[in-house]
């Protein structure tokens, strides 16, 4: 089952790595990052809600078992939804894409630290696991920099990127708790719901929404459906299941693969060149994940 969990984690991260193409198309058609996020989550939420109402009418669950669990779902919607997407997108307005990628994709290290602090009695990480995760993180940096390292310090942009990184680490930590108590469908539906609720204040500051003519144009509609159905609904479902099967730390290590899949899609669709730095970084990521998972599985 763990082998299938790793395969599903790879597929999920690969799909998330491809979303830059579809998001870019929507941005070129006049949609803002917040509007894209809202439409993605709204469509995914409605589809998931309809599916559960039809297939699980008798066992359908609207609220969590306790107010504390419901608060946890609320925090999941913020950390994995509205606040994460807003901080990540806003970061790229003030700093470079390279800086943003380096900071955001380092979230597995922060996830490991948070899990070690909160679950210090049940989760003990040895030096081999730490070294493996750091090697994978370094490999990710090599892939992102791609041999063209230019340091651009931007305190505001880098702090926003760090905020996004911390959001995803918190999301992974909270998922470790809820996946042991609730179904994947219930958790994912709650993440979408509270992600939508917590994005609403943004529109008080920046009102406005695309016209129906724009939304139903073929270019916008098909890209939006892919982001909503595949990259949001299906991938959030699979990611919840992967965290339940592999654990928060091992699953989150797959985030290191995000820039690899992004570059592969850029090579395939945009004909960008793959460099030796990319190959070196990929080997480092694979080696780091192998060390971390091999030791984890033998504990």
């Amino acid at each position: 089952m763990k082998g299938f969990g790793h395969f599903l984690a790879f597929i999920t991260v690969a799909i998330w790595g491809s979303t830059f193409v579809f998001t870019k198309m929507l941005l070129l058609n006049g949609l803002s990052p917040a509007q894209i996020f809202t439409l993605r989550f709204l469509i995914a939420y409605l589809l998931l809600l309809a599916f559960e109402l039809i297939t699980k009418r008798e066992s359908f669950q609207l609220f969590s078992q306790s107010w504390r669990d419901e608060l946890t779902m609320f925090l999941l919607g913020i950390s994995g939804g509205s606040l994460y997407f807003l901080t990540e997108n806003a970061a790229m307005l003030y700093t470079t894409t390279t800086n943003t990628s380096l900071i955001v994709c380092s979230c597995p290290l922060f996830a490991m630290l948070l899990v070690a602090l909160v679950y210090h009695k049940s989760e003990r990480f040895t030096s081999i696991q730490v070294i493996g995760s750091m090697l994978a993180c370094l490999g990710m940096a090599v892939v992102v920099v791609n041999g063209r390292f230019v340091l651009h310090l931007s305190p505001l942009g880098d702090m926003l990127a760090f905020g996004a990184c911390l959001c995803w680490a918190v999301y992974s930590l909270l998922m470790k708790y809820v996946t042991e108590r609730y179904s994947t469908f219930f958790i994912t539906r709650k993440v979408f719901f509270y992600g939508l609720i917590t994005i609403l204040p943004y529109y008080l500051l920046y009102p406005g929404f695309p016209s129906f003519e724009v939304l139903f144009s073929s270019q916008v509609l098909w890209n939006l459906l892919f982001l909503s159905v595949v990259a949001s609904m299906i991938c959030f479902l699979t990611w919840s299941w992967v965290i339940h099967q592999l654990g928060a730390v091992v699953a989150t290590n797959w985030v290191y693969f995000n820039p690899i899949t992004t570059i592969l899609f850029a090579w395939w669709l945009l004909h960008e060149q793959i460099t030796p730095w990319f190959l070196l970084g990929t080997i480092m990521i694979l080696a780091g994940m192998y060390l971390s998972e091999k030791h984890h599985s033998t504990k």
Side-chain angles (χ1 to χ4, degrees):
M1 188 63 72
K2 278 197 170 185
F4 181 71
H6 283 289
F7 172 75
L8 203 56
F10 168 74
I11 295 298
T12 303
V13 171
I15 291 173
W16 280 340
S18 73
T19 57
F20 82 101
V21 176
F22 304 95
T23 302
K24 183 69 173 178
M25 293 300 297
L26 293 176
L27 291 171
L28 291 174
N29 280 274
L31 277 70
S32 71
Q35 291 169 352
I36 296 171
F37 164 78
T38 304
L39 290 167
R40 279 180 63 172
F41 268 43
L42 179 60
I43 295 172
Y45 174 75
L46 292 175
L47 289 174
L48 194 57
L49 179 63
F51 176 80
E52 284 196 273
L53 287 173
I54 294 171
T55 61
K56 302 180 180 181
R57 184 176 301 176
E58 295 182 358
S59 60
F60 179 79
Q61 186 178 358
L62 186 60
F63 296 106
S64 304
Q65 297 170 3
S66 68
W67 68 267
R68 290 188 179 182
D69 287 354
E70 193 68 22
L71 177 61
T72 303
M73 299 296 177
F74 176 79
L75 294 175
L76 280 170
I78 296 177
S79 59
S82 56
L83 189 59
Y84 170 78
F85 280 93
L86 285 177
T87 50
E88 183 184 49
N89 289 323
M92 288 187 283
L93 297 176
Y94 300 100
T95 189
T96 63
T97 304
T98 299
N99 279 30
T100 303
S101 298
L102 284 172
I103 296 171
V104 172
C105 288
S106 65
C107 73
L109 284 178
F110 292 95
M112 175 180 280
L113 178 61
L114 284 175
V115 169
L117 288 174
V118 176
Y119 298 98
H120 60 278
K121 293 183 179 180
S122 59
E123 290 281 354
R124 296 180 182 274
F125 302 110
T126 66
S127 57
I128 294 179
Q129 285 180 278
V130 175
I131 291 171
S133 187
M134 291 182 68
L135 178 62
C137 185
L138 183 60
M140 177 274 303
V142 171
V143 169
V144 172
V145 172
N146 201 25
R148 298 188 298 272
F149 180 71
V150 180
L151 183 64
H152 291 284
L153 292 177
S154 173
L156 178 58
D158 293 342
M159 285 300 294
L160 286 168
F162 178 75
C165 169
L166 193 58
C167 279
W168 195 257
V170 170
Y171 177 79
S172 301
L173 176 68
L174 295 175
M175 284 294 292
K176 176 179 172 62
Y177 168 74
V178 297
T179 53
E180 297 172 355
R181 302 170 63 86
Y182 297 94
S183 71
T184 300
F185 280 91
F186 179 79
I187 296 167
T188 306
R189 173 163 51 84
K190 283 293 185 178
V191 170
F192 291 153
F193 176 76
Y194 283 119
L196 288 168
I197 293 298
T198 53
I199 196 67
L200 292 179
Y202 174 88
Y203 290 100
L204 297 176
L205 300 174
Y206 304 97
F209 220 66
S211 65
F212 282 103
E213 184 181 358
V214 172
L215 289 177
F216 286 96
S217 64
S218 59
Q219 234 179 4
V220 170
L221 184 60
W222 289 113
N223 284 290
L224 194 57
L225 284 175
F226 176 84
L227 291 174
S228 303
V229 178
V230 181
S232 292
M233 186 181 76
I234 294 176
C235 283
F236 270 78
L237 284 171
T238 56
W239 193 249
S240 298
W241 186 85
V242 164
I243 287 180
H244 178 66
Q245 292 296 319
L246 302 182
V249 173
V250 175
T252 308
N253 274 342
W254 279 96
V255 173
Y256 291 134
F257 263 81
N258 206 308
I260 293 177
T261 55
T262 298
I263 290 176
L264 287 175
F265 271 93
W267 167 75
W268 177 36
L269 298 173
L270 304 177
H271 307 293
E272 294 186 6
Q273 185 179 7
I274 290 181
T275 68
W277 291 103
F278 170 80
L279 299 176
L280 174 62
T282 301
I283 292 171
M284 293 171 67
I285 291 173
L286 290 171
M289 290 186 64
Y290 173 77
L291 286 175
S292 180
E293 169 60 13
K294 182 175 183 296
H295 187 75
H296 182 84
S297 62
T298 57
K299 285 179 63 177

